[in-house]
Amino acid sequence: MAREFDPYSLSSPKAYLTFMIIFLVIVAFIAFILFPQISTAFMSNPGLNGLIVLVGVFGILLLFGRVIRLFPEISWVNSFRIGDPALDTRSPVLLAPMAALLANKAGDMALTPTTARSILDSIGTRLEESREMSRYLTGLLVFLGLLGTFWGLLQTVSSVGATIQSLDVGSGDANVIFEDLKAGLEAPLSGMGTAFSSSLFGLTGSLVLGFLDLQAGQAQNRFYNELEDWLSTVTDIDPEEGMFGATESPGVEQIQASIQSLQKTIEEGGSKTASQAMANLAEGIQGLVKHVRSEQQMMRDWAESQSEQQKRIEGLLASISAAFDRAKE
């Protein structure tokens, strides 16, 4: 039997995790093919290059952790939506504020827009905080690559200067001069190896972390958007937070309560209680009509007073203008 499609069920981030694994397999395959060249470049400066590799590995694990931590959160939300009895045995981490506000009780849950926005803002802040570390590690890899570049260039420049000063041109023996020059160029070439190898590892690591960070960010954005879509279905618009920010009328709350009571009564099939609910609904509508009429009367009174005040101001301005004209004559 096919499972019933639920448009508001949060989807699993397995696709993004699969893309990340495939990308790492491709990178590992390329590194395996170029292993002799990579090992030679790594040995140019094992300390700095080893640090770059360690930072890259830590960043990769961190990014995988960002995606993997979404699985229990998504499972908790989907279980909460269907009222899973085993929900009490699990407590979310990322959605801890949401779990505290909702108290693990779905039922006829209805959130106010303020509560829903508070939940989404809290979750969005936590997601953004988890992204900051990966962004820092990506920038750190670029910095370490540039650090090794300038370090190697400094070694090259100083070694070239020392080599030139050590040459004994006055001996007149070309073979001796050539051997001294060849021996002296080993240090500059070593410095160039440090510069280029660190740049190679740093930029490659930042490229890998950049792609993984992109996939992890898309997985988190999808989780946030689907959670927002579901919360919008259980959010009850508060009349106090209406389109124009108007205050709630005295009869609105009573009408809403009467309509909900009438709906429940009809579902339960009670005729006597339904009649009472209809009476309450009629009273609420009557009170709302009276309130609207009183507000209309207040608006008319205010408009009349404004009109009279405007006429007095026009008369005052006319008298002032006449007085100025007489003064000029």
Side-chain angles (χ1 to χ4, degrees), residues 253-269:
E253 184 177 357
Q254 183 178 358
I255 292 174
Q256 289 181 341
S258 300
I259 292 174
Q260 293 177 359
S261 176
L262 178 61
Q263 182 179 3
K264 292 181 179 179
T265 303
I266 293 175
E267 292 176 355
E268 294 174 358

Side-chain angles (χ1 to χ4, degrees), residues 8 10 73-74 76-81 87 91-106 109 111 115-116 118-124 126 223-224 226-235:
Y8 298 107
L10 274 64
E73 309 295 328
I74 293 174
W76 184 88
V77 173
N78 291 332
S79 300
F80 178 83
R81 293 177 61 255
L87 187 66
S91 58
V93 178
L94 184 62
L95 301 178
M98 177 178 172
L101 288 174
L102 303 183
N104 293 341
K105 295 180 180 179
M109 181 183 64
L111 302 177
T115 303
S118 176
I119 293 174
L120 291 174
D121 289 344
S122 175
I123 296 173
R126 295 191 176 200
F223 166 74
Y224 181 85
E226 291 180 349
L227 181 64
E228 184 178 16
D229 292 340
W230 170 64
L231 287 178
S232 65
T233 62
V234 295
T235 300

Side-chain angles (χ1 to χ4, degrees), residues 207-225:
L207 174 65
V208 173
L209 289 188
F211 179 82
L212 297 180
D213 182 61
L214 177 63
Q215 297 299 317
Q218 289 179 350
Q220 290 181 337
N221 290 336
R222 184 177 181 179
F223 166 74
Y224 181 85
N225 293 333

